[in-house]
Amino acid sequence: MKNRAWSVILVVLALLLLASASFYSVRMTQSAIILQFGKAVRVVEAPGLYLKWPLVQDVVFVDKRLTSYSTQPEPFLTAEKKPVLIDFFAEWRVVNPLVFYTRLHNTSTAQSRIGDIVRSALRGEVGKMSLESVIQGRRQEIINPVLAEANLRLQPLGVRLVDVRILQVGLPPEVLRAVYKRMEAERTQEANDYRSRGAADAAKIRANAEKEKTEIMANAYRQEEEMKGQGDAEAASIYGAAYGKNPAFFSFYRSLEAYRHGLGDKDVLVLNPNSPFFKYFLHSLGPADQ
């Protein structure tokens, strides 16, 4: 009785193992490749529960979702043979699971091949551009041909690139130092140009100011002389008119001015007492002079 019970249990377990080995499920994110004696016979794309021959057929699942590939910064040479550091990432998916499994077998192998192909295409495009164009960020001009060329080479592998992006563009330390030195020299030359132009403009402004100053001084001197001449003419006219009204008083007034200016505290004059200069000291005014 015990042997019979154990036999039933073993049969049930065998049936369960056979059933589990006969059924498989496919998710929405997967494609299933049916292998018969190690050879791919068909591909199942639709999700669901399926039946296979146990011990004869095996199932390999291929992920249909987007897969990312990224790198660390790597050196690339520009058209001038100058190194530039670029790191990029790519997104890809399997479009033909049977070809993918036949040619690449798994995701790790696919990642390696995709990296090599994208890197080669990127190297070719960067080699056509100048260092300035790469640094200035004209990345779309690089990405479009890289994406087209990489997809052309990946098509026989059952893989399609969805997107490629350049994350960062940099320079090696030695090139960066050389660039900084060149930028410093350019800025120094530019500053010297500004200084020289400023000095020339300052000299021109000073020359114009000096010219204007000379003209203003000349005009002021001319006006001064004209005003002095007019004043002297008016003074002579006034003196003449005054002399005509009373010549004796005018002569006396001018003599007083001469005494005031000529006889100072420290002045010594040696004159003949009968000199006309002392006439008003020697003679009083007569009735005709009053």
Side-chain angles (χ1 to χ4, degrees):
M1 191 70 180
K2 280 186 177 182
N3 292 335
R4 185 177 179 182
W6 278 108
S7 298
V8 171
I9 292 173
L10 291 175
V11 170
V12 171
L13 289 175
L15 290 175
L16 289 175
L17 291 174
L18 183 63
S20 64
S22 301
F23 291 94
Y24 66 94
S25 63
V26 180
R27 299 178 182 178
M28 294 184 62
T29 60
Q30 295 176 329
S31 296
I33 301 175
I34 310 302
L35 303 178
Q36 187 168 322
F37 300 110
K39 183 180 180 180
V41 292
R42 74 175 185 274
V43 177
V44 179
E45 297 281 355
L49 184 64
Y50 296 91
L51 181 66
K52 67 180 179 67
W53 292 106
L55 305 178
V56 176
Q57 294 180 334
D58 292 322
V59 180
V60 176
F61 296 99
V62 176
D63 199 337
K64 297 190 296 185
R65 292 174 296 180
L66 283 176
T67 305
S68 298
Y69 174 84
S70 60
T71 65
Q72 295 296 323
E74 301 179 23
F76 293 81
L77 293 179
T78 62
E80 308 96 333
K81 304 302 180 184
K82 294 182 178 179
V84 60
L85 296 179
I86 297 177
D87 61 326
F88 65 92
F89 83 94
E91 291 185 337
W92 60 276
R93 64 160 35 105
V94 177
V95 294
N96 192 327
L98 187 58
V99 175
F100 171 81
Y101 178 77
T102 303
R103 301 292 301 274
L104 300 174
H105 299 291
N106 53 51
T107 301
S108 61
T109 305
Q111 290 276 56
S112 178
R113 291 292 300 276
I114 290 171
D116 293 340
I117 290 174
V118 174
R119 191 177 293 106
S120 175
L122 183 60
R123 199 176 303 280
E125 290 303 318
V126 172
K128 300 176 184 177
M129 303 181 68
S130 65
L131 177 63
E132 183 179 359
S133 300
V134 177
I135 295 297
Q136 284 180 350
R138 295 165 54 182
R139 302 181 182 180
Q140 202 59 37
E141 298 181 11
I142 304 175
I143 293 304
N144 291 336
V146 167
L147 191 61
E149 181 180 352
N151 273 326
L152 188 64
R153 297 174 60 181
L154 289 172
Q155 185 177 2
L157 303 179
V159 174
R160 181 173 68 86
L161 276 180
V162 177
D163 195 11
V164 177
R165 284 287 182 270
I166 294 177
L167 297 179
Q168 185 178 3
V169 177
L171 295 173
E174 61 276 6
V175 178
L176 196 59
R177 285 192 293 269
V179 171
Y180 284 154
K181 287 183 179 179
R182 187 184 67 181
M183 292 173 62
E184 183 179 1
E186 291 176 352
R187 295 299 176 268
T188 301
Q189 182 180 359
E190 186 176 356
N192 292 334
D193 292 340
Y194 279 124
R195 291 192 186 97
S196 62
R197 285 199 293 249
D201 292 341
K204 186 184 297 183
I205 292 172
R206 282 194 291 268
N208 292 334
E210 191 67 27
K211 180 181 177 182
E212 292 179 1
K213 173 187 173 182
T214 304
E215 293 177 353
I216 292 172
M217 293 296 292
N219 292 331
Y221 180 75
R222 178 178 55 80
Q223 293 176 4
E224 179 186 6
E225 293 299 320
E226 290 178 353
M227 294 175 69
K228 283 182 178 180
Q230 293 175 359
D232 292 340
E234 291 179 2
S237 176
I238 293 171
Y239 286 146
Y243 182 79
K245 289 181 179 179
N246 194 338
F249 176 78
F250 183 77
S251 177
F252 176 69
Y253 177 76
R254 293 299 298 270
S255 296
L256 290 180
E257 286 188 347
Y259 296 153
R260 184 173 65 250
H261 293 292
L263 299 178
D265 295 336
K266 298 181 181 180
D267 294 332
V268 177
L269 296 178
V270 181
L271 296 174
N272 189 343
N274 296 323
S275 172
F277 184 74
F278 295 108
K279 67 179 181 178
Y280 291 105
F281 283 94
L282 299 176
H283 307 282
S284 62
L285 293 174
D289 296 330
Q290 295 179 352

